[in-house]
């Protein structure tokens, strides 16, 4: 349990408890608690509308849609991915019996560097799995051009990119499929939860089979599916949270503005500005410490903050490619990943959520601005 005096990196967006009670009564009365219930259907429809995407399939967390996307597309052999992510991205590739191939990242958005992709392609490559890291859109045009040239599928891990738009279009429409996480730590949450965004009704149908053991009707099983269905309680919770997510994103935006104002003239600290034409979701506020210019290493600052109860997080350190399970892969060599290696040693994600007060910000910035 967290000490209440600590400032945590995030805080879950929670629906109004009375409204949640009322909706629970409704579920109790219906006696239908999971398996494609009313709230499940309503949340899928509401999310399609909110996100401006054609089809969405809900999941019980954000890892299973990654696994299922690769299953649905029958991806095999090698999958090109980024080491600068949450470990689930690479795990999903491994769980499908595929080999992850790491490529370096672009420091301007911390996403996969498209210029490094071609050199990583072999005759066994079948797919690319980039991550819109911190909700910053990848260079999707360049990635798609390479995928088209080599006949590869692109599956985006869009766990950070809820509500992100580029030139008025959802970034979730990019690639073959995009996955979302609705974990409590994300901008939009259903406690645990996730989704897969797909382009057409046939693919959604296939995904819906796969997330329910492969059942297509009462007696037919069409694939070795899994169980990753979202239940009615979390779908109802998600419907309530959807009503307040825009307000939460706007509050995060205000926090980002204040961080940028305060950090603009601090030597040795880099941060991201908004990108032109992009609707950001302000899911994270990473800063990157140049130890020489700042006069303190990232870890010195990180532990100083921690000692004062300001719990930033080093997302993403260590790199996935350094974990014992993956470091034996040829592409995991640090020489192959110089940018990711450097950035993993520079980053701290500052506390960022809808409920940070002025006093919280003053306390956080008081430890950083020098
Ligand atoms: C959170 C996250 C996931 C996993 O989502 P869960 O809902 O926790 O299973 C996958 N990829 C990235 C980049 C994430 O941040």
């Amino acid at each position: 349990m967290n000490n209440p005096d600590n400032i945590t990196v995030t805080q879950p967006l929670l629906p109004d408890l009375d409204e949640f009670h009322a909706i629970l009564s409704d579920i109790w009365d219906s006696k239908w608690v999971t398996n494609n219930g009313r709230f499940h259907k309503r949340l899928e429809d509401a999310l399609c509308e909110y996100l401006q995407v054609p089809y969405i399939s809900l999941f019980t967390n954000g890892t299973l849609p990654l696994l299922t996307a690769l299953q649905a597309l029958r991806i095999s052999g090698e999958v090109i991915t980024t080491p600068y992510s949450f470990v689930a991205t690479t795990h999903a590739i491994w769980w499908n019996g595929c080999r992850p191939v790491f490529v370096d990242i672009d420091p301007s958005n911390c996403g996969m560097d498209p210029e490094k992709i071609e050199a990583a392609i072999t005759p066994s490559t079948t797919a690319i799995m980039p991550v819109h890291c911190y909700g910053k859109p990848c260079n999707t045009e360049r990635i798609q051009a390479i995928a088209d040239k080599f006949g590869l599928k692109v599956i985006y891990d869009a766990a950070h990119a809820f509500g992100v738009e580029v030139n008025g279009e959802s970034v979730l429409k990019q690639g073959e499929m995009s996955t979302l996480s609705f974990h409590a730590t994300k901008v939009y949450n259903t406690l645990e939860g996730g989704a897969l965004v797909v382009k057409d009704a046939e693919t959604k149908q296939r995904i819906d089979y796969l997330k329910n053991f492969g059942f297509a009707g009462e007696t037919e099983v069409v694939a070795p599916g899994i169980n990753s269905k979202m239940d009615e309680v979390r779908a109802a919770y998600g419907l309530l949270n959807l009503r307040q997510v825009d307000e939460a994103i706007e509050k995060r935006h205000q926090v980002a503005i204040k961080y940028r104002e305060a950090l603009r003239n601090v030597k040795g600290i880099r941060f991201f500005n908004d990108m032109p034409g992009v609707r950001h979701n302000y899911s994270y506020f990473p800063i990157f410490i140049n130890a020489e210019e700042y006069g303190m290493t990232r870890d010195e600052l990180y532990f100083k903050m921690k000692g004062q109860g300001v719990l930033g997080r080093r997302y993403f350190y260590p790199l996935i490619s350094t974990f014992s399970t993956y470091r034996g892969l040829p592409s995991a060599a640090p020489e192959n990943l110089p940018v990711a290696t450097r950035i993993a040693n520079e980053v701290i994600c500052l506390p960022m959520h809808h409920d940070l007060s002025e006093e919280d910000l003053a306390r956080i910035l008081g430890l950083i601005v020098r």
Side-chain angles (χ1 to χ4, degrees), residues 263-311:
L263 297 173
R264 186 164 296 133
N265 296 315
V266 180
K267 233 179 135 219
I269 290 188
R270 181 172 79 90
F271 53 84
F272 290 130
N273 287 305
D274 285 357
M275 294 158 73
V278 175
R279 187 222 184 200
H280 292 281
N281 65 6
Y282 307 97
S283 45
Y284 299 88
F285 195 89
I287 60 170
F288 306 93
I289 312 292
N290 178 325
E292 214 161 284
E293 287 180 19
Y294 184 65
M296 209 185 219
T297 66
R298 184 275 310 273
D299 279 348
E300 282 166 348
L301 177 60
Y302 171 75
F303 287 110
K304 173 180 157 188
M305 288 165 57
K306 198 170 175 179
Q308 299 295 317
V310 174
L311 309 180

Side-chain angles (χ1 to χ4, degrees), residues 60-66 84-90 130-134 157-160 179-186 191-195 284 315-316 320:
T60 194
N61 60 47
T63 301
L64 287 162
L66 286 166
Y84 194 79
S85 180
F86 183 60
V87 70
T89 314
T90 306
V131 177
H132 299 298
C133 193
Y134 310 128
D157 180 342
H160 299 177
T179 70
L180 288 165
S181 166
F182 304 150
H183 185 255
T185 54
K186 308 298 207 259
L191 302 170
E192 295 266 1
Y284 299 88
Y315 299 142
F316 287 100
I320 301 173

Side-chain angles (χ1 to χ4, degrees), residues 86-100:
F86 183 60
V87 70
T89 314
T90 306
H91 283 349
I93 296 169
W94 202 267
W95 272 72
N96 274 276
C98 300
R99 173 184 281 253

Side-chain angles (χ1 to χ4, degrees), residues 106 109 111-115 117 128-133 135-149 152-158 161 164-167 169-178 199 275 278:
D106 173 349
N109 62 6
M112 187 183 285
D113 184 346
E115 305 316 316
I117 294 175
I128 309 175
M129 190 180 265
V131 177
H132 299 298
C133 193
K136 304 235 118 201
C138 289
N139 187 342
T140 55
E141 221 169 283
R142 214 31 217 119
I143 291 171
Q144 194 61 52
I146 296 165
D148 290 344
K149 182 172 164 192
L152 309 175
K153 299 272 195 260
V154 185
I155 302 109
Y156 282 101
D157 180 342
V164 173
E165 294 173 7
V166 181
N167 299 325
E169 275 254 308
S170 172
V171 78
L172 303 171
K173 287 186 185 169
Q174 298 295 329
E176 199 80 25
M177 299 182 186
S178 291
K199 290 182 181 322
M275 294 158 73
V278 175

